[in-house]
Amino acid sequence: MARTPKEPTSTLKLPVRSAVALEMMLSALISLLLVELGRMGGPIGWAFGPLSTLFNWFATFFHEFGHGFFVLVSESTLVDFKLNWDGSGSVTYTVESWRLPITWAGYATPPLVGAVLYWEAHGRGLETQGTLVVLALMIGAVTLLWPKDDAVSTITIAAILVVSLLVVALLCASSIGQRVPVDWVQRILAATLLIEGVRSVWYLLGLGEPSDAASLASLYMLPEFVWVLTWLVWTALCVGITYRLEVIDRRRKLLNPPRKTRTKKK
């Protein structure tokens, strides 16, 4: 009778599935804490505010990027792409096509980008560094090429995002990245993007306040909670696929560790 292979254990001395789930939950918890602590007043808010704002800028950029991307691939026209210092943003466009993908993509894009970032965070090798550099180049290109009414704030915020991604990529490539868990910075950022829709549920349910859910509800005669549910299902799908890919990748690395070559002394 064939034996089932034993589940490999991670560096946490836990089964891989448990370790990955624990790490993902911890990343999400730290992300939520950083965002909420940054909103507090006094010394706590001053201490955590800059990091909280940085993560919010990333979430806002990819939210507005999702809108803008579908504007450009449709027959609509992009008029203005804007990032604000308070962490908000906006995309202005003329409607000349189907609005559903344009409006829905805002809260769908951050979880997708977060899933890719989280999956690439573990190795800290060329894949991780390449992903960070590609994202940095994309942010820079979008900010420079898309139309902007308030160019100063948008370009400055985008430059901060680009530099922060490149710094993390350089740290991953350096000897520091081999000793310090720099990948957790990427994990927490990825978790912030993954749970962007979940954090915004109460705002989206909005009680008549302007939001993407309210816009879709007025256009397609479905209540706001239905559209919120679609974003929550999409987020759950992104989290589930990320978890599955991470478990597969981690098992492969544990079962097939890289071989160390020995050099003979003369």
Side-chain angles (χ1 to χ4, degrees):
M1 186 175 179
R3 295 183 179 180
T4 57
K6 185 179 179 181
E7 171 76 1
T9 56
S10 66
T11 53
L12 297 175
K13 304 303 180 183
L14 292 172
V16 171
R17 288 176 296 179
S18 300
V20 171
L22 181 62
E23 289 173 2
M24 292 184 74
M25 288 188 291
L26 183 59
S27 300
L29 178 61
I30 294 173
S31 169
L32 288 171
L33 283 175
L34 287 175
V35 171
E36 294 305 318
L37 289 173
R39 293 174 178 171
M40 297 177 65
I44 294 179
W46 299 337
F48 291 96
L51 195 56
S52 172
T53 302
L54 179 66
F55 286 169
N56 274 328
W57 282 339
F58 274 108
T60 298
F61 176 88
F62 287 110
H63 177 101
E64 304 304 339
F65 170 78
H67 289 312
F69 175 80
F70 278 93
V71 169
L72 292 176
V73 299
S74 68
E75 296 179 357
S76 297
T77 303
L78 186 64
V79 176
D80 178 44
F81 174 76
K82 185 177 182 181
L83 301 175
N84 300 314
W85 292 110
D86 62 359
S88 63
S90 63
V91 167
T92 306
Y93 56 95
T94 59
V95 181
E96 301 164 6
S97 60
W98 194 29
R99 288 187 61 180
L100 175 58
I102 296 173
T103 308
W104 191 81
Y107 283 101
T109 304
L112 181 61
V113 176
V116 175
L117 267 179
Y118 194 95
W119 182 42
E120 294 286 3
H122 179 67
R124 279 179 281 171
L126 291 177
E127 297 90 348
T128 300
Q129 298 155 32
T131 302
L132 294 171
V133 171
V134 168
L135 280 180
L137 292 175
M138 188 197 74
I139 291 173
V142 165
T143 307
L144 292 176
L145 297 177
W146 286 11
K148 301 167 290 296
D149 287 339
D150 186 2
V152 175
S153 67
T154 303
I155 291 177
T156 306
I157 291 169
I160 294 172
L161 301 183
V162 169
V163 170
S164 62
L165 287 173
L166 294 178
V167 167
V168 175
L170 287 173
L171 288 175
C172 288
S174 68
S175 58
I176 297 175
Q178 305 304 317
R179 298 191 300 268
V180 179
V182 180
D183 58 317
W184 273 91
V185 177
Q186 185 172 332
R187 288 178 193 275
I188 296 167
L189 171 59
T192 303
L193 298 176
L194 275 167
I195 62 178
E196 165 68 5
V198 178
R199 290 196 300 117
S200 304
V201 165
W202 295 115
Y203 165 74
L204 288 169
L205 290 175
L207 300 175
E209 295 293 327
S211 69
D212 291 346
S215 298
L216 289 168
S218 64
L219 287 169
Y220 299 104
M221 305 301 293
L222 289 173
E224 294 177 32
F225 79 86
V226 173
W227 299 106
V228 173
L229 184 62
T230 64
W231 285 312
L232 292 179
V233 170
W234 172 254
T235 298
L237 181 63
C238 289
V239 171
I241 292 175
T242 304
Y243 170 77
R244 180 61 179 164
L245 291 175
E246 186 77 1
V247 168
I248 292 172
D249 194 41
R250 202 80 66 89
R251 280 176 174 165
R252 178 179 58 80
K253 290 179 180 178
L254 288 172
L255 293 173
N256 301 289
R259 296 180 179 179
K260 297 181 179 180
T261 57
R262 296 180 180 179
T263 57
K264 294 182 178 181
K265 296 182 179 180
K266 293 182 179 180

